[in-house]
Amino acid sequence: MLSMRRFKAMVAKEWKDGIRNPHILLNAGMPILLALLFAQKDGDPADLTFLTVPILVAISITGAFVQAAMIAEEKEKNTLRALMLSPATKLEVLAGKSATTVLFALIVIAACIVISGVPDVNIAYLAILSVLLLMIFMALGTVIGLIARTASESSIVGLPVLLFFIFGPIFVPDLDVPVLMNVIRWLPSQQYVVAITELHRDGAFGSIAGQMLNLLAWTALTGALCFLAYGRQRFDK
Amino acid sequence: MKQAIIKVENLGKQYKKKQALKGISFEVQQGEIFGFLGPSGSGKTTTVKILTSQLIHTTGRVQVLGNDPGRSRRPAFLARIGVLTDNSGLYDRLSVLDNLVLFCRLYGVSEKRAGAVLEAVNLSGDGKTPVGKLSKGMKQRVTLGRAILHEPDILFLDEPTSALDPVNSGRIRETLLEMNRRGTTIFLTTHNMQEAEQLCHRVAFLNNGELSALDTPQALRLRYGDRTITVTTREGSRVIAQNEAGADEVSALMRSGELLAIHSNEPTLGDIFVQLTGRGLE
């Protein structure tokens, strides 16, 4: 059972700590910087890359790396032990962190949309796709945070995720490497970009059903992985 | 009659290659200050971790507040104990008060309690200071404040005054004694013998995962003392055995008016530990 009192206490703590944490602020600021750079680039306004990439980067970097940094730092500073010796449960601690990551992500996504503009698609579908993608990256961020021993190490451990999941869909299509493209096409980030393109072209839910299923499968898979890894986390052996 | 609040029977803990605890048994009574003394690596921290549900034991039985700590419903059990560990585990970027308020909310106690606790640990003027700017001793006092915030039934303390100056050590001991008078049972692990003598109703000596002795400090001193006294006369001091000949000698000194002072020679807890285990407590 989740105690709302303890959950709210965790969110208040995470927010206060997060806005003073340079590592988290850097991760949250990076997508905004990237959106600003994209906005400077001369591009075709009809090209959705200019609209989807800043949102994709905002969701993935904030979702994965803010979450990972928060979890890794609790282990690094030995504060997780203090929390686990209080009545707070593991679920409440994770829920508090995840809610704070969502808050950061919403702010960063909003800033990126203000800079880049809103893609001309059904907003409700865009929101559903974005929520699913955020959940996937937060689950990956939790696993990265559990693997990393320190907050700084979470950036290194998360680097393959950054390269593969985020930059894959942005750069691989231009590389003309079919083998790599076959892998990339199944990634949630690629499916997200494709789904927004399809929505822009067609606008109907039927056109994105495949991408939605893919994102749901990724959500279930990464969610299970996250809870498995988090459940096995111990202070001592 | 007071009841046992902690019961430990044949407790054993095996790490991969090391047996940290070799079947120890003891009980702690409600309202007692129980000293768990031993050098580094003797198994003190392992015992505390088992008692506070951080670690599962390999053999034996443990009951704390009527529950097996490893299998109890954690939030309810943890709300009744307070733990001061050797590693502070505070949020450096948050203020002292914010650190305490977080735990007030987690324990469900009034946030006003944070102010009272700051007073008790002599930090009432530092509530708004970020924890990262505090000295080691001040951090230790914040950690202690956090452990007593919810007025637990049992307080587990690992070296509570190790980083403190004498003034603050004294103040913390007073706070602990006051909590004990109000009913908190205290389980104190330390290698500070003086502190153990000042605070503890009973002490247990732990060495290489085994209990060497368990009794009140006074009883241990009497049991392991060499039953001698030191008398001081104008000619100097000398040790006299507590037997018939010694009694005659003291009596003669008193009658002659030569006796200036007389002291019983009780060993310290540190002396007794060395006597029992052949090693020091540091």
Side-chain angles (χ1 to χ4, degrees):
Chain A
M1 275 285 285
L2 188 83
S3 151
M4 280 312 286
R5 172 174 49 80
R6 292 194 289 263
F7 166 71
K8 282 190 213 165
M10 284 306 302
V11 174
K13 184 280 278 185
E14 296 298 350
W15 179 254
K16 267 192 174 179
D17 198 41
I19 56 173
R20 292 172 174 85
N21 185 340
H23 191 94
I24 286 178
L25 292 179
L26 186 70
N27 279 321
M30 235 172 354
I32 298 174
L33 184 70
L34 203 77
L36 282 168
L37 291 173
F38 254 69
Q40 300 299 315
K41 210 174 156 189
D42 289 331
D44 176 4
D47 184 352
L48 276 178
T49 312
F50 287 94
L51 299 174
T52 54
V53 167
I55 302 175
L56 169 69
V57 172
I59 291 173
S60 48
I61 291 192
T62 317
F65 289 88
V66 168
Q67 181 86 347
M70 281 198 285
I71 290 174
E73 196 180 62
E74 291 277 10
K75 292 196 298 174
E76 178 186 358
K77 301 278 172 70
N78 220 25
T79 44
L80 191 59
R81 183 189 295 271
L83 283 179
M84 291 291 104
L85 284 170
S86 82
T89 62
K90 279 182 171 184
L91 180 65
E92 287 156 1
V93 171
L94 183 63
K97 288 185 186 303
S98 303
T100 313
T101 301
V102 170
L103 269 177
F104 272 108
L106 287 177
I107 293 167
V108 175
I109 293 166
C112 289
I113 284 178
V114 166
I115 295 165
S116 312
V118 187
D120 182 21
V121 294
N122 182 312
I123 295 297
Y125 292 154
L126 177 67
I128 294 169
L129 291 168
S130 301
V131 166
L132 287 176
L133 192 68
L134 182 59
M135 284 168 69
I136 293 164
F137 277 102
M138 279 168 53
L140 289 172
T142 304
V143 176
I144 293 167
L146 291 173
I147 294 169
R149 287 167 300 181
T150 64
S152 324
E153 205 178 274
S154 68
S155 305
I156 299 163
V157 174
L159 203 61
V161 173
L162 182 80
L163 292 174
F164 199 60
F165 283 78
I166 305 169
F167 291 129
I170 299 174
F171 298 112
V172 170
D174 297 332
L175 295 178
D176 197 23
V177 183
V179 178
L180 208 51
M181 199 54 217
N182 277 337
V183 179
I184 295 296
R185 79 171 76 243
W186 293 102
L187 294 182
S189 38
Q190 172 67 7
Q191 294 287 320
Y192 179 79
V193 174
V194 172
I196 292 178
T197 312
E198 289 297 324
L199 273 179
H200 181 68
R201 199 177 297 157
D202 187 332
F205 179 78
S207 63
I208 58 161
Q211 286 80 31
M212 198 71 97
L213 268 177
N214 176 287
L215 288 176
L216 281 169
W218 271 98
T219 308
L221 187 76
T222 51
L225 182 69
C226 158
F227 280 106
L228 193 72
Y230 193 68
R232 291 170 72 93
Q233 176 70 20
R234 294 270 182 275
F235 316 119
D236 297 286
K237 291 195 168 67
Chain B
M1 188 180 155
K2 285 185 177 176
Q3 62 184 67
I5 202 163
I6 299 174
K7 286 183 187 175
V8 172
E9 285 174 34
N10 295 317
L11 180 65
K13 177 65 187 174
Q14 178 78 45
Y15 290 110
K16 276 177 187 165
K17 287 181 180 172
K18 189 190 171 192
Q19 192 169 7
L21 295 173
K22 301 169 184 168
I24 61 171
S25 300
F26 63 89
E27 287 189 355
V28 179
Q29 307 302 313
Q30 191 168 19
E32 188 175 22
I33 303 182
F34 187 84
F36 206 56
L37 317 178
S40 302
S42 60
K44 299 193 301 285
T45 304
T46 297
T47 308
V48 171
K49 282 183 175 175
I50 291 169
L51 296 178
T52 55
S53 82
Q54 299 176 65
L55 204 58
I56 304 289
H57 52 282
T58 316
T59 56
R61 286 184 64 213
V62 181
Q63 277 214 322
V64 179
L65 292 161
N67 304 294
D68 180 337
R71 294 176 180 84
S72 61
R73 210 180 135 257
R74 286 179 62 88
F77 172 71
L78 293 170
R80 294 181 67 192
I81 66 168
V83 186
L84 169 69
T85 56
D86 49 354
N87 198 325
S88 73
L90 296 166
Y91 295 99
D92 283 352
R93 285 181 292 268
L94 298 185
S95 70
V96 171
L97 202 57
D98 283 341
N99 268 275
L100 295 182
V101 164
L102 164 66
F103 282 84
C104 281
R105 291 172 180 168
L106 293 179
Y107 283 109
V109 299
S110 163
E111 289 175 25
K112 288 178 187 162
R113 178 80 186 126
V117 159
L118 283 180
E119 182 78 31
V121 295
N122 202 16
L123 284 172
S124 44
D126 297 286
K128 289 184 178 168
T129 310
V131 164
K133 291 189 176 172
L134 300 180
S135 67
K136 194 180 172 195
M138 289 166 97
K139 281 184 183 174
Q140 187 158 7
R141 281 186 276 155
V142 180
T143 318
L144 178 63
R146 186 179 65 191
I148 64 175
L149 206 54
H150 54 300
E151 298 184 298
D153 292 330
I154 309 178
L155 190 53
F156 292 90
L157 302 171
D158 193 358
E159 307 285 354
T161 60
S162 62
L164 305 184
D165 58 76
V167 174
N168 280 308
S169 294
R171 187 157 182 161
I172 294 299
R173 283 183 200 129
E174 271 310 307
T175 302
L176 295 177
L177 287 170
E178 178 54 34
M179 286 189 70
N180 178 249
R181 279 192 284 273
R182 293 207 306 266
T184 303
T185 304
I186 297 176
F187 190 95
L188 173 75
T189 63
T190 183
H191 55 248
N192 181 339
M193 291 296 110
Q194 204 183 349
E195 185 164 82
E197 297 212 38
Q198 283 175 3
L199 290 175
C200 298
H201 299 122
R202 286 190 307 148
V203 294
F205 287 157
L206 189 68
N207 183 40
N208 288 330
E210 292 174 300
L211 281 186
S212 309
L214 195 169
D215 213 327
T216 64
Q218 180 67 9
L220 287 172
R221 279 195 298 268
L222 290 174
R223 193 182 313 152
Y224 294 101
D226 59 2
R227 297 187 62 75
T228 60
I229 55 171
T230 298
V231 294
T232 305
T233 63
R234 286 187 192 85
E235 288 160 15
S237 297
R238 65 176 185 276
V239 175
I240 296 175
Q242 288 190 55
N243 53 26
E244 208 168 313
D248 291 344
E249 195 176 344
V250 173
S251 174
L253 286 170
M254 288 174 84
R255 272 195 290 270
S256 66
E258 283 181 53
L259 187 66
L260 297 178
I262 182 165
H263 297 284
S264 61
N265 291 333
E266 291 173 347
T268 63
L269 290 180
D271 295 334
I272 299 168
F273 191 87
V274 173
Q275 197 178 324
L276 285 170
T277 66
R279 61 191 287 212
L281 271 161
E282 296 304 317

